Each structure stands twice: as C-alpha cells, then as structure tokens.
Amino acid sequence: MTFDDLRPGITLPELLIPISASQIVAGAMASHDFEDVHHDKAAAQSKGVPDIFMNILTTNGLVQRFVTDWAGPAARIRRIAIRLGAPNFAGDTMKLSGEVLQVDGAERLAQIRVSGRNGLGEHVAATVTLGWESTWPRR
Amino acid sequence: MSDATDLVTRARAFVGKPAATPVAARDPVNLPAIRRWCDAMGDRNPVYQDAAAARAAGFDGIVAPPAMLDVWTMSPFRPGGRASTERMQVLELFDAAGFTGVVATNVEQDYDRYLHEGDRVHCTAIVEDVSEEKRTALGVGHFVTLRYEFTDDAGDAVGRMLFRVLKFRPPLAQAATAQAAAVPKSIPHPRPAVTHDNAFFWEGIKARRLLVQCCAACGRLRHPPGPMCPQCRSLEWRTVEASGRGTIHSFVVMHQPRLPALHYPLTILLVELAEGVRVVANLLEAGAQQLQIGRAVALDFVEVEPGYLLPAFRLA
C-alpha cells in the first residue's frame, strides 16, 4: 500500500478477532492494565457485568494493528479517536471493518474509519489518521 | 442541594487540577515489553521488532507501537490495589458514593513522534470534565474526562491523550437479568456428531492437535475419518499428527443461509495438507479477496465457545 493508491471509499480487508478469556487477559497484561474486570470473572460480576471484558487499551491496539496490517510499515499513525459501545465479553467474536474516509494529498494524510462489531452490536467506532511523509521525525 | 448535585459539585472542584501524581515510567521503552504487546495484539508490523525493517521504513531503529503511549506509565500490579499516590481522588469520590463500576468509553491519542528503545516516558493527568448524572446501559453514572500529557526525559512532548471513563452504580438487583440479556450467544455454535469412528479426531482437536488416520496395513492416510481403508480394506488404523502446513485447494464464501452463531460472510477452505489429505476448515483473520488457489496456509485453533475448539487456517 502506498499513499498514491489511496482513494476515499476503499475498504480494508476484514479481520475477525475471537474474544477468548485468554485474549482479554493477554491484552490486559501486555498493556499493564490490572483492573480486575479484565481478568477476574467474579470481580466483574460483582460490578454488574456478566463476564470479564476487553480493556480499551487492547481495543486501541487491535484497531491500530488492523489498520497498519493493511497500510504497511511505511504508514505512520498520527492520531486515533476511539469510542466504545458494546463490551467485548469472553466468548464473543469481533469483526473489524474499515474504509478510507478522506485523503489529503498536500499533507499526505489519510483518515480511516474503523468499526468493530461483536454479538451484542458495535464494540468500537474509531477514526485513525495515517501519515505518509518524509518530514515525520525519524525517531 | 440533592446528593447527586452535591457529588457533582465536589467532583467538579477537581476540574483543571492534576488527577494524580505525575509519573515517570519505571522502565524505558524496551523490546521485551514491545514483543509481549505485539504477541497479545497479533501485530506483526516489523518496525516494532526488526531494526533493519524499521530503518527501511525510515526510522533510526525499532520503534514502539504508538498505542503503547500510555502503557509505559501504567501503575504496576499491587496485591490489594493501587498505592495511594497512584489513585485518582476524583474517581475515589464516586467510589465512596456507590459508583464503584468503571468502564472506559473514549480514548483519543495524538502522537508527536514514535517512541524508540531507551525513551523514558513521563506523564501528567488533568481532570478536564465531570458530567451530570447520566442513565446508561450499564446503570446510572457520571462520565469523567481526563487529559494526559506525555513527555520524554528532555521534557519534550511525545504525545497526548483524552481518556473518558464512566463511573457507574452497579445495578446489582438487575444483574441477573442483565446477564441473561448480555450473554453474547444465546444460540450455541453447532457441534459435531461424535461417533466411535471420529472420536479420536475431536479428542485431538481438544488438545490442539490435528490427527489424520493412517492405515496400519498399507500406510495410506485418509480424512475424513472412517472405519475401513479405501485402498486395502483393512480395519486396523493408527493416527499421525499433521504438521499444520498446507495450501488452499478450494474455497467458498458463505453468505446465506445464516446460522445465528456464525459470522458472515464466512470463508470456508478446503486445505490440502502437506501430508496429502484434504481438510475443511474456516479461514481466520483475512478477507476472501486475499485468497487464491494454491496459497500457503497454516493451521491454528479457535476457541469458539469456552472449552470448544475448532481447527482453522490463517494465511502463512
């Protein structure tokens, strides 16, 4: 994928993420998030939810992975905005889909809209800004 | 003044003030932590782990995934919960008032540059906003918005973040109903009919092994499982474990009819295993537009329901 290939409306290859309890816990630990609702089912239930659920840092990571899997290593993530809806509970599956929203030829930026849906509805709605440019700091 | 108004007034006294003590990351940005994160996310972008690939992409060396911006300064695990300096008083105010539930609802991150090995991240958090009492799907609660600034050792900005959480009152009385309503799949995934002839296959899958029947008399491999060798008619057999390597012999994309427990469009592969037999299984993590006959695939296993595994393939 190069910047010049981008056109608004291009869709990204869909990605299915099985939301196992192990996936939720691995994501929480890798993002150093020790809130008990992300690894302890009894604690989650005492807070009024049926099971452990994915933390927002993992959702952020999965959305960025989904976009860069498609965009390739030359693309730089400049900005992301994420809104969470239906939680990713253990045992569900999330399907990520995405679309190029805007392309700014002068700034060499592209906005990608991402949606992740699970069995309950929309888990995540995100907008990711990618940059392809030589002026980005090398480090 | 009602209790709720009083609570909001007290919480809003924190707006514009530091939400917690400033934090310097305990460890610098480092490859082991990046690897663990990439493993958990399934992220194989080489710029995060391979210095040569990172240089080819225009960096000086490996860089951290941008989404890890706020990971470096997260509080460590402490039995019994966070230390007092790590807690946010504005959130504790809601805990004390019975709003003990917490879920993150929004994250916005801006990156000034990618972090590289050795960077030490510093972070400060300001309380930006506290909402009125809201009625939400999780229960009655308040949204608390925090704004974080991240800097490096030199004090230069590396990024910033808006983080919004909902502090809610767990609806314990309704928990049972909520549980019934929120269980993701009320209709279970279809299960195989396990028989005397194919039980070995499903036992193998449970142990994350793909077993292929092998005639004990003539050595011919066969799949799907059956009682008799189609070549020499022997009823004696053993099993061999498949390597998991294969190529796409054929595939089909199911759109209709839709079974409730499955996700559509559903891409089903007929994979020719390296051992020479063919198996049917679903495709993982790719769209049908990436497929072609002959493409190499690798075996994996998916826990579609707790304790119930299915073999599946991803692009190799």
Side-chain angles (χ1 to χ4, degrees):
Chain A
M1 178 67 55
T2 70
F3 180 77
D4 298 322
D5 298 331
L6 294 178
R7 300 285 179 274
I10 288 179
T11 57
L12 281 62
E14 288 178 349
L15 178 63
L16 272 187
I17 308 277
I19 313 296
S20 62
S22 309
Q23 173 67 70
I24 292 169
V25 173
M29 296 300 109
S31 54
H32 297 195
D33 186 343
F34 300 102
E35 289 290 339
D36 55 16
V37 291
H38 306 310
H39 61 259
D40 182 339
K41 182 169 180 171
Q45 288 180 336
S46 79
K47 290 175 181 168
V49 291
D51 205 336
I52 63 167
F53 56 93
M54 182 174 284
N55 66 333
I56 197 166
L57 283 77
T58 299
T59 301
N60 186 14
L62 291 172
V63 167
Q64 297 199 16
R65 170 207 156 183
F66 169 64
V67 170
T68 53
D69 275 359
W70 161 80
R76 305 284 193 268
I77 300 167
R78 302 287 302 265
R79 176 166 214 282
I80 186 164
I82 277 181
R83 192 187 71 235
L84 288 196
N88 265 343
F89 286 118
D92 208 339
T93 303
M94 174 169 68
K95 185 199 279 189
L96 288 165
S97 57
E99 176 188 7
V100 178
L101 212 55
Q102 281 182 23
V103 179
D104 178 342
E107 296 284 329
R108 295 181 73 76
L109 295 174
Q111 279 200 344
I112 317 297
R113 181 165 55 201
V114 177
S115 171
R117 299 190 66 84
N118 61 29
L120 296 173
E122 186 167 56
H123 166 68
V124 56
T127 308
V128 182
T129 307
L130 295 179
W132 279 261
E133 55 171 324
S134 52
T135 55
W136 181 271
R138 280 183 66 80
R139 321 199 309 167
Chain B
M1 205 190 288
S2 74
D3 285 354
T5 316
D6 181 45
L7 178 62
V8 170
T9 305
R10 282 185 291 142
R12 284 189 176 158
F14 287 97
V15 170
K17 297 191 176 131
T21 313
V23 180
R26 196 160 56 154
D27 294 308
V29 172
N30 65 87
L31 183 57
I34 292 172
R35 276 197 213 285
R36 270 198 300 282
W37 187 94
C38 289
D39 289 346
M41 304 304 156
D43 197 326
R44 281 172 284 209
N45 189 337
V47 301
Y48 304 144
Q49 300 192 49
D50 176 347
R55 282 193 292 273
F59 295 108
D60 282 346
I62 64 160
V63 288
M68 289 186 79
L69 176 65
D70 53 326
V71 168
W72 307 106
T73 48
M74 292 285 281
S75 304
F77 173 71
R78 296 185 201 281
R82 294 182 180 188
S84 58
T85 52
E86 294 159 0
R87 296 194 206 121
M88 292 193 179
Q89 282 178 294
V90 65
L91 300 184
E92 288 188 310
L93 208 57
F94 286 105
D95 286 326
F99 296 86
T100 52
V102 61
V103 288
T105 61
N106 298 74
V107 162
E108 295 175 21
Q109 293 182 334
D110 282 276
Y111 311 111
D112 294 320
R113 65 170 174 90
Y114 276 44
L115 297 170
H116 55 88
E117 270 187 297
D119 265 324
R120 190 178 297 271
V121 179
H122 301 252
C123 131
T124 57
I126 304 281
V127 181
E128 182 167 282
D129 188 43
V130 175
S131 81
E132 299 290 337
E133 188 172 285
K134 305 273 186 187
R135 208 160 270 285
T136 76
L138 286 167
V140 171
H142 296 263
F143 291 95
V144 179
T145 306
L146 306 161
R147 191 165 285 282
Y148 291 74
E149 298 284 336
F150 297 92
T151 52
D152 59 17
D153 270 337
D156 292 330
V158 295
R160 60 205 56 79
M161 169 168 79
L162 176 147
F163 200 86
R164 184 171 295 134
V165 298
L166 172 68
K167 288 294 292 172
F168 64 99
R169 194 189 288 280
L172 281 181
Q174 302 158 24
T177 345
Q179 183 169 355
V183 166
K185 287 171 192 151
S186 51
I187 300 177
H189 196 281
R191 299 283 176 131
V194 178
T195 65
H196 176 76
D197 291 324
N198 69 12
F200 79 92
F201 177 81
W202 293 106
E203 287 299 314
I205 295 299
K206 245 184 239 173
R208 295 178 179 267
R209 301 171 69 209
L210 181 62
L211 299 179
V212 178
Q213 238 174 343
C214 174
C215 177
C218 72
R220 180 187 159 125
L221 296 178
R222 62 181 190 264
H223 183 87
M228 182 184 282
C229 176
Q231 183 165 271
C232 74
R233 299 185 185 176
S234 167
L235 292 168
E236 302 301 316
W237 54 271
R238 54 192 172 83
T239 61
V240 294
E241 183 175 356
S243 65
R245 293 189 317 275
T247 54
I248 298 175
H249 183 79
S250 183
F251 65 93
V252 64
V253 182
M254 286 281 294
H255 294 273
Q256 295 287 349
R258 300 194 167 207
L259 294 177
L262 303 179
H263 287 261
Y264 296 87
L266 176 64
T267 305
I268 303 162
L269 304 179
L270 179 60
V271 172
E272 175 131 356
L273 294 176
E275 288 75 13
V277 297
R278 292 174 192 157
V279 298
V280 174
N282 293 346
L283 173 70
L284 284 178
E285 295 187 3
Q289 61 270 41
Q290 292 167 266
L291 292 186
Q292 61 195 55
I293 305 292
R295 180 140 190 192
V297 288
L299 175 67
D300 203 343
F301 295 89
V302 183
E303 191 166 4
V304 293
E305 283 168 8
Y308 174 42
L309 275 81
L310 281 180
F313 287 84
R314 55 182 85 241
L315 297 178

